[in-house]
Amino acid sequence: MNAHSLPDEETAALRQDLSAAFRICHQMGWSESVGNHFSAAVSEDGAAFLLNPCWQHFATIRPEDLLRIDARDGRVLEGQGAPDASAWCVHGTLHRKKPEARVVLHAHSPYATALACLKDPTVVPIDNNTARFYGRTAYDLDFGGIADAEEEGERLAERLGDKSVLVMGNHGVTIVGDTVAAAFEDLYFFEKAAQTLILARSTGAPLAVLSDAVAQNTADGWRAYAGMADRHFAFLKAQLPAL
């Protein structure tokens, strides 16, 4: 273990949580064939991270299946197989450029993707769940096809800035967080927020948009509920069938 690596027991727990997140994502109906990617840093500087192997279905991922990858050059340090090219260019860059982004979840969940396909995909604060993301959401509207170049990862890292949610225009959503549970909780609530926005907009009636002050107050109010993430994720893990 180098000076920046997490202790073995923390890495083992991280493997357990990240592998569970894949399987929970599939149960939620958010997996997409054998694509999409979740990752988690296993070093304090983001130089090494866990990632799912290329084209392994989310429903089958076990802790030992996760690759340990060098974020500096893409070398597989531990595990069998190789990362998907688009996973490497996005997740490798994010972990390398933003070591504070401990966990990176990218998904094409239905409502988040529908929102991302609107000409204006702004997360407008109209209820508790949409206001949860007030001031926390960044946008990248320069979709150019399937990401396979490091330059795209650099752009996404820049667009994310200090936010924890990146709406990727014509694509999907990427969530970053300190733990798997916290990031998954945001992925869960972002999908609910996007669903509310899509349904509300589908009526054609004007939205009752919260004032900036109320939206900020609501976003701040969510901080007291941070412990929900661990309890919710523990419940979801407990429902998973054994592999």
Side-chain angles (χ1 to χ4, degrees):
M1 182 179 78
N2 66 47
H4 298 290
S5 296
L6 298 180
D8 290 345
E9 60 272 19
E10 288 188 30
T11 298
L14 193 57
R15 283 182 174 275
Q16 290 283 348
D17 280 353
L18 192 61
S19 63
F22 288 105
R23 303 199 303 278
I24 295 167
C25 185
H26 174 65
Q27 288 194 336
M28 295 280 189
W30 303 341
S31 59
E32 187 155 300
S33 181
V34 292
N36 287 356
H37 318 97
F38 293 172
S39 62
V42 289
S43 64
E44 294 176 0
D45 57 4
F49 64 98
L50 302 175
L51 181 73
N52 47 314
C54 183
W55 299 349
Q56 181 173 347
H57 197 281
F58 274 25
T60 71
I61 294 179
R62 302 166 299 174
E64 60 268 28
D65 294 323
L66 297 170
L67 304 176
R68 184 184 182 117
I69 296 174
D70 191 319
R72 296 163 294 192
D73 57 18
R75 285 183 300 122
V76 175
L77 304 174
E78 186 179 347
Q80 299 297 315
D84 177 76
S86 64
W88 157 245
C89 86
V90 174
H91 291 254
T93 306
L94 285 174
H95 284 293
R96 186 174 66 254
K97 301 281 287 187
K98 294 189 169 297
E100 68 276 12
R102 310 300 300 164
V103 176
V104 180
L105 308 182
H106 171 64
H108 300 168
S109 48
Y111 285 99
T113 302
L115 179 68
C117 292
L118 298 180
K119 187 173 182 64
D120 179 5
T122 302
V123 182
V124 181
I126 58 174
D127 75 333
N128 280 334
N129 292 340
T130 49
R132 176 188 177 98
F133 299 100
Y134 184 78
R136 299 178 51 205
T137 308
Y139 301 86
D140 174 63
L141 305 183
D142 293 324
F143 179 75
I146 294 176
D148 58 4
E150 192 169 325
E151 291 76 14
E152 179 154 3
E154 297 275 352
R155 188 189 79 239
L156 294 174
E158 181 179 350
R159 296 285 171 82
L160 178 63
D162 62 353
K163 309 302 184 186
S164 54
V165 176
L166 180 65
V167 174
M168 304 166 74
N170 305 100
H171 189 168
V173 65
T174 292
I175 307 281
V176 302
D178 292 335
T179 66
V180 174
F184 198 88
E185 190 79 340
D186 269 350
L187 181 63
Y188 173 86
F189 274 108
F190 191 84
E191 180 66 3
K192 290 181 73 66
Q195 180 180 26
T196 296
L197 281 168
I198 293 297
L199 292 175
R201 288 193 181 282
S202 71
T203 68
L207 299 180
V209 180
L210 303 177
S211 69
D212 289 346
V214 172
Q216 186 63 65
N217 185 55
T218 306
D220 293 343
W222 273 105
R223 294 174 188 168
Y225 294 87
M228 286 175 57
D230 291 331
R231 292 289 293 273
H232 186 204
F233 195 68
F235 167 79
L236 293 173
K237 283 196 299 181
Q239 310 309 304
L240 290 172
L243 287 180

